[in-house]
């Protein structure tokens, strides 16, 4: 194949830097002294191109702001070089969404892929945005979050053979790529920490029961409570997805019961702000009357109440891992090889 044919529609434009038009493969070839075919292959990480040449070409491409013509790429290869992140527009507060997007974008920066966010709300069918991407071919792969044990989005993507990775696991009985945080281990460690602090009447502020990570977190909580011999103080009138006002009001009601908890495990940092407010509305003090171990994805709780205990979830790391896995899947990697479970770090005392 000669060099002109190899570039296709992607390389219309000037051959020299500084001329009118956007930078093209010819621009990079001119600046590096390489052929256009070599430049094109170096940008695609072709194995026959030496590492030093790849680095030099990719450095020049970044310096001149080179971006491939997506229309040309799609006509020639059938690929969009786009990855779609399907997100609930009411996703958790406290930096979860921004950290996820940052991590994905950071990982994709060294690849030909670009990220688009496909939003939906809880009032809409969560399958609809996934179906749209698949039917229109508007992306090469999909990242979905907030998985359910029997997730219809996962079933749909499997049936259509469309590359995808999930932030969270399912129980559908078919191998698929995922990255998840070990919420079972988080709840287990949280209960043990509260027991070390002398707390015995424990409650769990959990995610919605429809989500997979609710079951992981609740099982970790209940299994460890049974192991230690504690009884749960039920707190099932509210979840971490409820509004701040709702969580605050229900927390006040919880603490006004005849035998309120003296320890709480909270499944989200944003919910913990409202939880503490409700406790203080009841005239009680965190660290004296009650202890809380909270998971958080944005490190903000230390600015709020140093008496809290936290376990940090690295959502940027999750974003990087999801993007890395999806690019590998698009390249033909088996789904079973792209499964990872992040372990929680230690329970940290913010005041220490």
């Amino acid at each position: 194949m000669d060099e002109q044919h190899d570039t296709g529609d992607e390389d219309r434009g000037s051959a020299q830097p500084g001329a009118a038009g956007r930078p093209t493969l010819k621009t990079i070839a001119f600046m590096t002294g390489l052929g256009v075919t070599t430049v094109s292959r170096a940008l695609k990480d072709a194995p026959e191109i030496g590492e030093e040449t790849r680095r030099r070409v990719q450095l020049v491409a970044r310096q001149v702001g080179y971006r491939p013509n997506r229309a040309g790429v799609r006509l020639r290869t059938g690929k969009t070089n786009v990855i779609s992140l399907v997100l609930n527009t009411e996703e958790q507060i406290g930096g979860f969404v921004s950290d996820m997007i940052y991590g994905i974008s950071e990982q994709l920066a060294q690849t030909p892929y670009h990220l688009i966010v496909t939003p939906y709300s809880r009032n809409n069918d969560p399958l609809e945005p996934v179906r749209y991407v698949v039917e229109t071919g508007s992306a090469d792969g999909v990242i979905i979050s907030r998985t359910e044990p029997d997730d219809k989005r996962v079933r749909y993507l499997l049936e259509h053979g469309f590359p995808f990775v999930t932030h969270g696991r399912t129980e559908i009985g078919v191998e698929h790529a995922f990255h998840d945080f070990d919420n079972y281990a988080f709840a287990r460690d949280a209960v043990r920490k509260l027991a070390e602090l002398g707390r015995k009447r424990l409650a769990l502020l959990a995610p919605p029961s429809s989500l997979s990570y609710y079951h992981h977190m609740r099982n970790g909580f209940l299994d460890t409570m049974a192991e230690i011999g504690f009884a749960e103080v039920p707190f099932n009138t509210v979840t971490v997805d409820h509004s701040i006002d709702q969580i605050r009001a229900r927390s006040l009601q919880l603490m006004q019961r005849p035998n309120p908890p003296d320890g709480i495990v909270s499944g989200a940092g944003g919910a913990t702000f409202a939880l503490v407010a409700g406790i203080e509305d009841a005239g009680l003090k965190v660290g004296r009357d009650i202890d809380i171990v909270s998971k958080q994805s944005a490190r903000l709780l230390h600015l709020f109440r140093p008496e809290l205990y936290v376990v940090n979830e690295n959502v940027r790391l999750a974003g990087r891992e999801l993007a890395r896995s999806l690019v590998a899947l698009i390249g033909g990697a088996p789904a079973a090889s792209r499964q990872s479970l992040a372990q929680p770090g230690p329970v940290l005392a913010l005041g220490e």
Side-chain angles (χ1 to χ4, degrees):
M1 179 181 294
D2 66 40
E3 295 183 359
Q4 295 304 316
H5 289 163
D6 182 69
T7 62
D9 289 343
E10 182 180 340
D11 200 45
R12 293 175 183 163
S14 169
Q16 296 188 20
R22 63 182 179 82
T24 68
L25 293 179
K26 291 178 183 177
T27 309
I28 301 170
F30 179 87
M31 295 180 69
T32 59
L34 299 169
V36 176
T37 299
T38 300
V39 168
S40 176
R41 291 174 180 169
L43 290 171
K44 297 172 185 173
D45 286 326
E48 68 270 18
I49 304 298
E51 178 63 27
E52 181 179 346
T53 299
R54 285 203 300 270
R55 283 201 302 266
R56 180 156 59 102
V57 168
Q58 291 173 7
L59 175 62
V60 171
R62 288 195 297 272
Q63 289 175 335
V64 300
Y66 170 77
R67 293 291 184 272
N69 183 317
R70 291 189 192 175
V73 171
R74 186 166 186 176
L75 283 172
R76 190 173 65 259
T77 68
K79 295 177 63 177
T80 64
N81 282 350
V82 168
I83 283 175
S84 173
L85 171 63
V86 179
L87 273 182
N88 188 325
T89 55
E90 299 165 349
E91 196 74 78
Q92 297 179 46
I93 63 172
F96 181 93
V97 171
S98 58
D99 280 350
M100 176 68 71
I101 292 173
Y102 185 95
I104 294 171
S105 300
E106 185 179 47
Q107 183 63 35
L108 295 181
Q110 304 303 317
T111 77
Y113 291 94
H114 299 265
L115 178 67
I116 62 171
V117 177
T118 305
Y120 72 96
S121 73
R122 70 179 66 185
N123 297 322
N124 302 121
D125 180 1
L127 180 58
E128 185 56 37
V130 174
R131 185 186 293 116
Y132 172 83
V133 171
V134 173
E135 291 181 352
T136 61
S138 53
D140 296 329
V142 171
I143 299 172
I144 58 177
S145 63
R146 296 176 66 83
T147 54
E148 299 181 1
D150 185 16
D151 200 299
K152 60 183 180 180
R153 300 169 300 174
V154 170
R155 290 193 179 278
Y156 176 87
L157 290 163
L158 287 169
E159 289 168 1
H160 287 77
F162 197 84
F164 74 97
V165 63
T166 63
H167 185 218
R169 289 165 283 172
T170 67
E171 297 177 6
I172 63 175
V174 180
E175 292 280 9
H176 66 82
F178 68 79
H179 176 80
D180 202 1
F181 180 82
D182 194 340
N183 284 285
Y184 183 99
F186 156 69
R188 176 199 64 206
D189 295 348
V191 170
R192 289 176 178 173
K193 182 62 180 182
L194 291 169
E196 289 176 9
L197 294 169
R199 305 304 186 179
K200 297 181 179 180
R201 303 186 309 278
L202 308 187
L204 173 65
L205 179 54
S209 60
S210 61
L211 301 178
S212 293
Y213 87 105
Y214 161 84
H215 301 283
H216 304 147
M217 190 180 296
R218 182 144 183 80
N219 288 341
F221 179 83
L222 292 178
D223 287 352
T224 311
M225 292 279 284
E227 173 189 305
I228 297 174
F230 287 177
E232 177 186 13
V233 178
F235 190 27
N236 51 19
T237 60
V238 72
T239 75
V240 297
D241 272 15
H242 279 80
S243 71
I244 289 177
D245 289 340
Q246 290 170 319
I247 296 172
R248 180 174 184 171
R250 302 293 170 80
S251 300
L252 171 61
Q253 294 170 4
L254 174 70
M255 302 313 297
Q256 290 176 331
R257 293 179 188 174
N259 291 299
D262 58 7
I264 297 179
V265 178
S266 174
T272 300
F273 286 94
L275 175 63
V276 171
I279 290 169
E280 294 179 350
D281 288 343
L284 303 175
K285 180 175 174 57
V286 175
R288 183 191 67 196
D289 305 300
I290 187 169
D291 280 304
I292 298 172
V293 178
S294 176
K295 187 173 71 165
Q296 67 170 357
S297 57
R299 304 191 178 195
L300 297 173
L301 290 176
H302 70 284
L303 302 173
F304 179 54
R305 293 291 183 275
E307 299 83 8
L308 295 167
Y309 293 83
V310 300
V311 173
N312 293 310
E313 178 180 6
N314 192 335
V315 179
R316 288 192 182 183
L317 171 66
R320 291 195 296 270
E321 186 59 33
L322 290 165
R324 186 182 298 115
S325 291
L326 187 52
V327 170
L329 291 172
I330 294 170
S337 70
R338 309 306 307 185
Q339 299 175 340
S340 55
L341 185 64
Q343 295 301 309
V347 179
L348 302 174
L350 295 180
E352 295 180 358

